[in-house]
Amino acid sequence: MTPSLEVRGLAFAYPDGHQALYGIDLTIGRGERVALLGPNGAGKTTLVLHLNGILSGGLGSVRVGGLEIRPGDRQALREIRRRVGVVFQDPDDQLFMPTVRDDVAFGPANLGLSGAELDRRVDAALRAVGMGHVADRPPHHLSFGQRRRVAVATVLAMEPEILVLDEPTSNLDPAGRRELAEVLDGLGVTLLVVTHDLPYALELCERSVILSEGSIVADGRTASLLANEELLRRHRLELPYGFDPRVGQSRYRGARPASSTRGR
Amino acid sequence: MSTGHAHLLYRHGDSVVHRLPAHLKLSSLVLFVLTVVATPAHRYWAFAAYAGLLGVVAVGGRVPIGYIARRMVVELPFVVFALLLPIVATGDRVNVLGLSLSEAGLLAAWNLLAKATIGVVASILLAATTDARALLLGLQRLRLPARLVEIAAFMVRYLDVVVGDLQRMRIAQDSRAFDGRHLGHLRVIARSAGALFVRTYERGERVHLAMLARGYSGAMPISDAPPAPPAAWAVAALLPAAALAIAVASRVSP
């Protein structure tokens, strides 16, 4: 089966000469959930902006569902942007239309959908994140957690191959965090969660990748990466005080709360 | 609450005026204002009649007079200017309460005040009965250049965000015992205005990125709405038609 995402030897320097990525290799299989961990300034956002061709021009290649990103090819780029749904960190950047419904319709309408099919996409996406009841409200009247969930819906409506979330838990309260985790758990799409919220990575993703100073320095099971204190310290990653990754196991993925009576 | 309180001027309600399609209300407003402006200033009764028409619209839209009056503060700078006119204008002078005022200036002041007030009240009525999104759709349907409508849409969407930014900066300044009343503090205020501009500009860039990420290629997708029924056209035409009748009468009457 074609992997959802294949990054090969990706290197990138900003025009001011700052080298942000040094040869990234990353493959994410279909349906997999991967956390991209790294301290501030590690190059996480730069990598994300390469995944849908907003940044390009360095070395290496990015393939999404087998389709290679070629910056000059506008038609292919459109398809890439359909396949890669990026949820940005600040929902106020993502939600720019006068109402939630218009905003969720923005992506699919750009893909050329209209009429009943467009309505169906919008309703399905809003229902998937439990936000169907706010469809006609302006985004700035929603709570922060609601806005984040609507932001997820805006890309879900494009039926992406892979969902990329940039710091999904920033500014969320604990209840908002949990609700978002439940929504993401129920989606069943390939997920790449970019974060430095380590417990959240453990909760949602089996596998984690650590990006540090523009290189991937570790790739493995989230639980074992987080148990490696030395590795975390070297890359400025820290678990919250009192959090033991051997106790807090992934709640999702067949280990739903109701059935998790394994007595760890 | 299905659409939320979409903007500050909007007054929730469900009346004949609320229900009219926005593009009809917009056209009606523009025609009405043009007619008012074309009326000679010395036909005082015509302006009273226009005010009466707006009164009918206000009653139809269930907009209370106090609501309109509070929002008319926006007109104050014009009022000040109008009050200056009789003093600074030249020509024949008349004595009013011991002041020597210019006759032409008085008429000009009345002209400005009456027309501005009627225009402002009409606009307030439109804003009070039409939510922001409907207004934008109306502008779109009136074939205003798409770019302008987009700019207006972004303004509506981000006004709250920018005001929020500004308030947070204010609170941060106040929390560090800043008191912006002193003239020497002008520099700080100018700098925070600059910072706000840069923040807003950077947000604009991030929004653009988010739009690109969802396949934006230079044109906003068009939302389609059903055409307005003839009855709505007829209702919307009432106001400009009545105004036109008054204007014609004011021109032909001796």
Side-chain angles (χ1 to χ4, degrees), chain A:
Chain A
M1 197 161 66
T2 342
S4 282
L5 182 71
E6 260 184 299
V7 181
R8 289 278 159 269
L10 187 68
F12 181 76
Y14 280 98
D16 65 2
H18 168 66
Q19 182 86 24
L21 301 175
Y22 296 87
I24 303 286
D25 290 300
L26 177 65
T27 303
I28 299 179
R30 189 156 288 172
E32 216 179 346
R33 290 188 193 164
V34 180
L36 179 66
L37 310 175
N40 287 333
K44 299 186 301 259
T45 303
T46 309
L47 178 56
V48 166
L49 293 179
H50 273 90
L51 301 185
N52 64 358
I54 284 182
L55 285 182
S56 59
L59 299 171
S61 70
V62 178
R63 283 169 188 275
V64 183
L67 180 65
E68 183 168 351
I69 300 184
R70 267 184 276 270
D73 186 348
R74 291 183 70 97
Q75 271 304 315
L77 206 56
R78 208 163 87 141
E79 174 59 16
I80 291 286
R81 288 180 181 162
R82 182 194 72 74
R83 290 186 185 189
V84 182
V86 182
V87 179
F88 289 92
Q89 194 170 348
D90 185 348
D92 275 330
D93 295 342
Q94 183 124 16
L95 307 177
F96 44 80
M97 297 290 274
T99 69
V100 166
R101 180 186 302 283
D102 289 343
D103 214 296
V104 177
F106 178 81
N110 280 327
L111 299 175
L113 296 182
S114 63
E117 170 66 6
L118 184 62
D119 292 344
R120 190 193 64 75
R121 286 273 189 111
V122 172
D123 291 338
L126 281 173
R127 228 177 312 115
V129 299
M131 287 281 102
H133 59 290
V134 301
D136 295 313
R137 291 179 56 184
H140 49 284
H141 290 157
L142 304 181
S143 77
F144 198 85
Q146 289 178 318
R147 270 182 275 170
R148 170 104 354 116
R149 277 147 73 189
V150 170
V152 172
T154 63
V155 295
L156 278 184
M158 301 172 77
E159 301 188 341
E161 163 94 34
I162 175 169
L163 194 59
V164 181
L165 297 119
D166 194 359
E167 298 290 359
T169 57
S170 65
N171 288 327
L172 282 189
D173 57 15
R177 257 170 78 97
R178 176 185 47 75
E179 285 162 0
L180 183 68
E182 285 166 3
V183 163
L184 294 177
D185 183 53
L187 294 180
V189 295
T190 312
L191 267 189
L192 178 64
V193 182
V194 180
T195 187
H196 45 220
D197 182 343
L198 304 184
Y200 211 63
L202 183 63
E203 198 174 326
L204 272 178
C205 305
E206 294 267 272
R207 174 183 163 204
S208 285
V209 174
I210 297 181
L211 184 69
S212 182
E213 291 175 2
S215 309
I216 285 184
V217 293
D219 184 344
R221 284 190 55 236
T222 310
S224 48
L225 289 190
L226 297 195
N228 187 342
E229 276 178 53
E230 169 54 27
L231 176 74
L232 295 186
R233 196 174 313 119
R234 227 178 10 229
H235 301 292
R236 285 186 61 78
L237 289 168
E238 277 180 30
L239 290 164
Y241 177 75
F243 183 85
D244 186 344
R246 285 158 299 183
V247 177
Q249 272 299 336
S250 179
R251 297 196 312 160
Y252 301 109
R253 270 290 148 111
R256 280 163 199 283
S259 61
S260 62
T261 48
R262 283 177 289 177
R264 275 171 209 276

Side-chain angles (χ1 to χ4, degrees), chain B residues 5-53:
Chain B
H5 37 292
H7 60 87
L8 283 174
L9 295 173
Y10 182 61
R11 188 182 156 79
H12 242 290
D14 182 34
S15 69
V16 190
V17 189
H18 279 85
R19 276 192 301 269
L20 273 183
H23 62 293
L24 301 188
K25 281 191 269 191
L26 273 165
S27 330
S28 171
L29 171 74
V30 171
L31 290 176
F32 174 74
V33 170
L34 286 179
T35 318
V36 171
V37 169
T39 311
H42 62 276
R43 304 290 187 199
Y44 305 111
W45 59 267
F47 293 94
Y50 293 139
L53 286 180

Side-chain angles (χ1 to χ4, degrees), chain B residues 52-67:
Chain B
L53 286 180
L54 289 182
V56 172
V57 176
V59 170
R62 301 206 191 94
V63 186
I65 185 122
Y67 184 89

